[in-house]
């Protein structure tokens, strides 16, 4: 917690108390109906709220037993401490006491000895708080008590009433008996008594003579002591200090000089300790300490110190030596110091009789033991905590800084309803239901964040919406029928302009419009109603502050007028419109407006449609131009809460307030979806961002706030895009629920709960569980700054990061991957812990942009001639030996910029790259991609404690479009030691990517054999489905003949011996299948469906009961081939609909290719899948996820569109705008993944299809799609179906068989190799 604003202290004489109990400093004060207990500058121990709604009147702290008493009305509440031994000091209610006159209000409290408490009202009541609590003594007063205070030995009580000049001294005559009696004497004063103070002993057990200090309206401090024990009065006047004469200006008095004085007493106990600690702190220093020597000389006399202040920064200190001595000398009152120019924090301007009143509390030992603390309670609602060293405070020489402000406690007297901020976040405005508004300014100092109350605004009309302008110098309030402008540059704000308005619908928001000119003197604000109609106002701000005391203060062109009205339309089902939270750079627009402008407003409908808006002010035409920048259909009906940021992030909460979703409105994709517990109702959302625009969301619950940070996208492991980095709980600080929260500009979060404000700094402990689970390097000392942590979780990756290497491999940059690993191996040879590692490993950007296929030269070694290349020739190739050496270093060294988990993944990448390189000459690029990620999947499976999912459809498609499938089948089989079961084939997606149906059946028979031999019993049931799918019933029958141990052998063998082409045996097989379904033997039931030639039923069992879509597809392929009706129906009605519902473009492309719709297979990689289907399902939330937009899709799209004429035809149906958006969206995805270099490579080297195709000579001629390609048109497979018209003889003559390459010309071959 960086700063605490615990609430507005009451303007009452006993609103603040402090004391030391059990070695702990405790400060308590009352604020409205709450009791605030603090243990330091920014350490709240407890806040106790009272639900009866009555304001508290006084508070007192018992230093002997740690009890706290507060009073309101006629009731006194006593709280006792608990939990100090457990390190969690709190107070709980012990008892409630009622004063003798219940119609009066208790105004003063004072603790005596033996847990007695004195209550002052229209009477004095003495209670004991030891059980049983009881009233010990009561005495009616002529005038209600203003002060009533025990002396420290509890033998005397000093009391006075309002405007009294006679001070009563009550002397207790009996202790320890039920008969408590007091006698009373008077101390006469010439004017009203304004303050009293009893001398404190060095420790509570010390017996001292009681000394009383009184302050009077005549500006004189009087010292009363028992100088005559035989006198009629208990105390006699010992001396006096004229406060007015104590401070005399060195120059002639100015006419505006005030006679107001402030004074407080520093007890000799505190003064001696402070001096002693100042001496200890100065020991060992070589410089001279004239001020300290002077202080030691004063302290040796053991005086009390009277400090006198004035409003101009003057201070004088007087020593009171030997107070109470019988023979008083003239030197007993002596001057210690007189200085001018004290800090303004102690100097107040006269703002009224009550607001300018200050009470002082002093003690020794603040945040450090040597500090001397002055608490100044300003009756305008502030408590200042200032620290100093007594030698600095009382240094006679001129000093620049004597007091160090540590905190300013203030706040509201009622629960905070809303907090608004400026665009920069340097000022905030908090307000309550009672329209109590406070403007706070935030600044960053050497000691951290400082929040100070800057201005108070008293508004009588109901506040509907608020907009804080500039740096908090002006505030605009939107009321029901008017809008007002307030000047908040002074401590007491005042209204400077007002304008009435008429809007038919209810105004929903107040938005600050971006300006084309960076002038801070003319601003525009707008409101939008529930019918999407609005009004804009133009505001001319004053150039300088007008002096309230000067009637003709200078105010230049101040004005507030209606600028224009507008209509946005789109009012159907509108739920709400709200301004977005500012993030990133300020919202200043250029001369034109487009979708790249910053958002300023967000609207959402009851159907969950999000729309973001930007605007531009046209002052010449007196209008505001609005532009709809994005529309997102979230599918979330009746959202209860939404919040957007200016950098296109939006959070949306459902109607139950328990489900949170985060959307990227620019890409219309879902990034986060989580449901919280029912008791955790989401009630607030606030956005901020790091300087490099990484988003952070604060999610507010009743008693906690969860900070979510965006993460890099991770498509290979389907990692989360957002994660919790910090949780802030306030239940230990206050029982009141959170009212609102808002971000400050520097990353600090302000939380309003009850009447208190908590400023949480951006420092985050790395030991926090929320942070340690993230991908942060555990071996590095990362700065604890929240922005630094979020930046580490985002931003560009080093080139040796496993995700960057994997994406390079997918992009076909195998050579650069090897180069990176070779350079990493070189760097790690001489690497030691603590060394820096270049994130680029010395590689230039140009190397990532080079087309490897265009520059590939098999004879590159022979052509090398440079000395450097010759010197490194031994490491030029990435071999298994080099990989083993690199992995040895990776397992023993902690690599900078990598977490331990990422370093483990890097080891896997290195091993996989070496394996692929070993077989590089025998496989194509797609086979290499599959093998690398399949091998990586297997390595992770070996380490994983839980079962991992099957390889993704992305890897399946790499193998599916490979021409090296025989090699892949062999390598996958060897991975499983040639004992591949169906489980293994499902993990590898084997039967999804083998294209040759003969190879599919041959491999499926291998699976059938392995399923049979998988157990020692060799149960034919395990392989029945597989052999019957292969239509090899005889083989299965022979296996049953050998299964003599199986009790089902005889009946099954007899059944299988029949001819199942006959209807009766088909019926028998069906009966057995349904019986097995009832017994939940689903796989065996599917086998009997096949026996009855009911392939469709067998497929349905695999899908609905076994939930194995791969098994269903494989059975259909094996049983009836790739052109069968059941497989077609399965692909069209199940696979494609599932792909559309989940947004799985990989699966959709595979399904279309299997249906021989290769044009659609290409389009599915770009276009929304549901637009390609005749009967599309409603897209689910998963289809909107960012995981549905894998940037590797662009690699496959580029590869497939140039593969055949069908795919080229499909690519030609993609609109140029859609392809442009696809490329730009994938570039943004690469950027979010931390692969900025690949994003730049994509937009730099991408080639769009040529849209200008030459017209054919006749109407019957078919245009050749190859004309759209910029190069390599001769390598496209001609697979378009032949035209059925007999007139197309020319095309028939030139028609090529499907799946054959056209012979390339010599010119095209040379062109492809760059000659």
């Amino acid at each position: 917690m960086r700063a605490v604003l615990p609430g507005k202290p009451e303007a009452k004489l006993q609103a603040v108390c402090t004391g030391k109990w059990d070695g702990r400093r405790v400060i308590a004060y009352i604020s409205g109906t709450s009791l605030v207990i603090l243990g330091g500058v920014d350490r709240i121990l407890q806040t106790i709220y009272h639900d009866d709604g009555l304001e508290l009147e006084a508070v007192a702290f018992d230093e002997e037993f740690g009890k706290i008493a507060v009073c309101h009305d006629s009731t006194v509440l006593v709280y006792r401490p608990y939990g100090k031994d457990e390190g969690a000091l709190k107070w709980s209610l012990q008892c409630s006491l009622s004063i003798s006159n219940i119609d009066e209000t208790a105004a003063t409290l004072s603790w005596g000895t033996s847990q007695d408490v004195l209550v002052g009202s229209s009477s004095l009541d003495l209670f004991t708080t030891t059980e049983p609590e009881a009233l010990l003594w009561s005495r009616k007063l002529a005038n209600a008590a203003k002060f009533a205070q025990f002396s420290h030995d509890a033998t005397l009580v000093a009391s006075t009433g309002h405007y009294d000049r006679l001070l009563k001294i009550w002397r207790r005559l009996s202790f320890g008996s039920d008969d408590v009696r007091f006698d009373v004497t008077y101390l006469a004063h010439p004017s009203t008594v304004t303050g009293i103070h009893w001398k404190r002993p060095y420790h509570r057990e010390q017996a001292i003579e009681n000394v009383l200090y009184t302050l009077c309206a005549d500006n004189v401090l009087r010292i009363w002591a028992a100088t005559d024990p035989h006198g009629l009065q208990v105390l006699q006047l010992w001396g006096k200090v004229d406060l007015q004469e104590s401070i005399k200006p060195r120059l002639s008095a100015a006419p505006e000089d005030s006679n107001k004085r402030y004074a407080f007493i520093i007890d000799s106990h505190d003064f001696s300790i402070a001096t002693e600690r100042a001496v200890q702190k100065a020991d060992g220093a070589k410089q001279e300490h004239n001020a300290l020597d002077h202080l030691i000389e004063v302290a040796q006399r053991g005086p009390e110190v009277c400090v006198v202040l004035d409003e101009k920064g003057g201070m004088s200190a007087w020593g009171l030596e030997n107070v109470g001595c019988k023979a008083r000398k003239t030197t007993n009152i002596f001057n210690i110091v007189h200085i001018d120019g004290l800090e303004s924090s102690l100097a107040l301007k006269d703002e009224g009789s009550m607001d300018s009143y200050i009470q002082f509390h002093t003690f020794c030992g603040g945040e450090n033991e040597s500090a001397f603390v002055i608490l100044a309670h300003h009756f305008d609602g502030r408590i200042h905590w200032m620290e100093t060293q007594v030698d600095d405070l009382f240094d006679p020489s001129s000093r620049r800084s004597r007091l160090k402000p540590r905190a300013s406690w203030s706040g509201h007297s009622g629960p905070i309803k809303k907090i608004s901020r400026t665009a920069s976040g340097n000022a905030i405005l908090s307000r309550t239901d009672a329209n109590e508004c406070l403007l706070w300014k935030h600044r960053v100092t050497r000691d951290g964040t400082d929040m100070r109350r800057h201005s108070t605004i008293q508004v009588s009309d109901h506040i509907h919406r608020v907009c804080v302008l500039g740096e908090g110098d002006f505030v605009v309030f939107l009321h029901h029928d008017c809008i007002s402008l307030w000047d908040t540059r002074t401590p007491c704000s005042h209204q400077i302009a007002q304008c009435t308005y008429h809007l038919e619908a209810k105004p929903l928001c107040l938005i600050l419009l971006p300006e084309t000119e960076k002038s801070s003197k003319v601003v525009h604000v707008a409101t939008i109603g529930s019918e999407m109609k609005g009004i804009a106002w133009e505001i001319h701000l004053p150039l300088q502050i007008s002096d309230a005391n000067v009637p003709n203060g200078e105010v230049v062109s101040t004005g507030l007028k209606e600028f224009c009205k507008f209509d946005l339309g789109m009012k159907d089902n509108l739920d709400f419109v709200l301004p977005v939270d500012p993030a990133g750079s300020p919202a200043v627009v250029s001369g034109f407006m487009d979708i790249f402008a910053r958002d300023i407003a967000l609207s959402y409908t009851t159907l969950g449609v999000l729309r973001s808006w930007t605007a531009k002010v046209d002052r010449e035409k007196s209008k505001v131009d609005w532009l709809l920048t994005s529309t997102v259909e979230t599918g979330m009906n009746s959202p209860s809460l939404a919040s957007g940021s200016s950098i296109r992030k939006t959070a949306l909460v459902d109607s139950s307030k328990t489900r949170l979703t985060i959307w990227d409105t620019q890409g219309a994709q879902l990034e986060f979806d989580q449901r919280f517990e029912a008791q955790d109702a989401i009630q607030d959302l606030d956005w901020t961002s790091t300087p490099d625009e990484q988003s952070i969301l604060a999610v507010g619950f009743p008693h906690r706030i969860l900070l979510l940070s965006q993460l890099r996208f991770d498509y290979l492991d389907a990692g989360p895009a957002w994660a919790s980095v910090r949780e802030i709980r306030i239940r230990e600080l206050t029982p009141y629920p959170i009212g609102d929260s808002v971000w400050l500009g520097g990353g600090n979060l302000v939380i309003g709960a009850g009447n208190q404000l908590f400023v949480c700094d951006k420092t985050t402990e790395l030991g926090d569980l929320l942070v340690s689970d993230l991908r942060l390097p555990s071996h590095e000392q990362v700065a604890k700054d929240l922005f630094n942590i979020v930046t580490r979780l985002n931003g560009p990756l080093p080139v040796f990061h496993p995700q960057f290497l994997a994406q390079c491999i997918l992009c076909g940059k195998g050579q650069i991957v090897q180069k990176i690993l070779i350079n990493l191996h070189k760097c790690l040879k001489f690497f030691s812990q603590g060394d820096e590692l270049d994130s680029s490993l010395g590689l230039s950007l140009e190397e990532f942009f080079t087309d490897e296929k265009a520059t590939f030269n098999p004879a590159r070694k022979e052509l090398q001639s440079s000395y450097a290349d010759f010197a490194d020739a031994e490491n030029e190739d990435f071999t298994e030996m080099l990989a083993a050496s690199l992995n040895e270093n990776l397992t023993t060294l902690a690599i900078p910029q990598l977490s331990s988990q990422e370093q483990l993944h890097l080891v896997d990448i290195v091993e996989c790259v070496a394996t692929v390189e070993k077989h590089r000459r025998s496989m194509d690029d797609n086979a290499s991609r599959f093998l690398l990620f399949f091998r990586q999947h297997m390595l992770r499976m070996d380490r994983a404690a839980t079962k991992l999912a099957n390889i993704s459809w992305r890897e399946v498609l790499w193998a599916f479009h490979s021409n090296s499938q025989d090699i892949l089948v062999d390598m996958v089989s060897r991975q499983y030691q040639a004992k591949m079961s169906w489980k293994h084939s499902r993990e590898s997606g084997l039967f999804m990517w083998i294209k040759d149906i003969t190879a599919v059946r041959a491999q499926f028979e291998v699976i059938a054999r392995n399923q049979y031999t998988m157990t020692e019993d060799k149960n034919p049931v395990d392989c029945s489905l597989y052999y019957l799918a292969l239509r090899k019933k005889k083989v299965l029958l022979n296996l049953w003949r050998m299964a003599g141990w199986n009790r089902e052998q005889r009946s099954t063998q007899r059944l299988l011996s029949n001819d199942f082409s006959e209807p009766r045996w088909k019926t028998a097989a069906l009966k057995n299948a349904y019986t097995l379904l009832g017994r939940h033997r689903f796989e065996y039931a599917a086998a009997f469906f096949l026996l009855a030639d009911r392939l469709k039923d067998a497929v349905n069992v695999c899908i609905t009961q076994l939930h194995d879509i791969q098994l269903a597809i494989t059975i259909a392929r094996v049983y009836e081939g790739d052109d069968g009706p059941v497989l077609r129906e399965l692909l069209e009605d199940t696979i494609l609909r599932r792909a559309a519902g989940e947004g799985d473009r990989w699966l959709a492309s595979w399904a279309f290719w299997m249906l021989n719709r290769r044009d659609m297979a290409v389009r599915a990689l770009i276009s929304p899948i549901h637009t390609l289907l005749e009967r599309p399902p409603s897209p689910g939330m998963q289809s909107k996820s960012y995981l549905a937009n894998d940037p590797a899709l662009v690699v496959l799209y580029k590869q497939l569109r140039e593969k055949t004429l069908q795919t080229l035809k499909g690519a030609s149906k993609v609109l140029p705008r859609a392809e442009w958006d696809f490329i730009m969206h994938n570039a943004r995805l690469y950027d979010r993944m931390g692969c900025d270099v690949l994003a730049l490579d994509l937009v730099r080297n991408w080639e769009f299809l040529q849209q200008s195709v030459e017209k054919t000579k006749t109407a019957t001629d078919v245009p050749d799609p190859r004309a759209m390609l910029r190069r390599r048109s001769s390598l496209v497979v001609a697979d378009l179906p032949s035209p059925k018209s007999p007139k197309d003889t020319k095309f028939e003559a030139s028609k090529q068989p499907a799946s054959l390459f056209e012979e390339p010309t010599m010119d095209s071959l040379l062109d492809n190799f760059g000659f």
Side-chain angles (χ1 to χ4, degrees), residues 1297-1314:
S1299 302
L1300 292 177
F1301 286 97
E1302 292 187 5
E1303 185 66 27
T1305 64
M1306 184 61 66
D1307 291 340
S1308 64
L1309 285 174
L1310 292 174
D1311 180 63
N1312 283 325
F1313 282 100

Side-chain angles (χ1 to χ4, degrees), residues 982 991-992 997 1000-1001 1004 1024-1031 1082-1087 1089-1091 1094-1103 1106 1108-1122 1126-1127 1130:
W982 172 250
F991 294 101
M992 301 300 101
I997 191 62
V1000 168
R1001 287 172 176 149
F1004 200 68
S1024 296
L1025 177 62
Y1026 304 92
Y1027 278 116
L1028 291 177
L1030 289 164
R1031 300 179 184 267
F1082 300 123
E1083 184 177 313
Y1084 203 27
F1089 277 123
L1090 292 179
L1091 195 60
R1094 299 287 287 270
L1095 174 61
K1096 185 175 180 180
D1097 291 331
V1099 166
N1100 287 337
V1101 170
C1102 293
I1103 294 174
L1106 294 175
D1108 193 340
I1109 195 75
Q1110 286 196 36
L1111 183 60
I1113 295 170
T1114 305
I1115 288 174
R1117 294 187 69 188
V1118 171
Y1119 194 83
E1120 64 175 8
D1122 287 344
V1126 175
L1127 179 61
L1130 172 62

Side-chain angles (χ1 to χ4, degrees), residues 461-462 464 477-484 498-503 507 537:
D461 296 335
H462 174 74
H464 194 58
F477 291 112
L478 183 70
H479 310 288
H480 287 309
D481 55 358
C482 68
I483 183 171
S484 60
Q498 183 174 334
C499 178
T500 59
Y501 71 92
H502 174 70
L503 194 64
W537 292 274

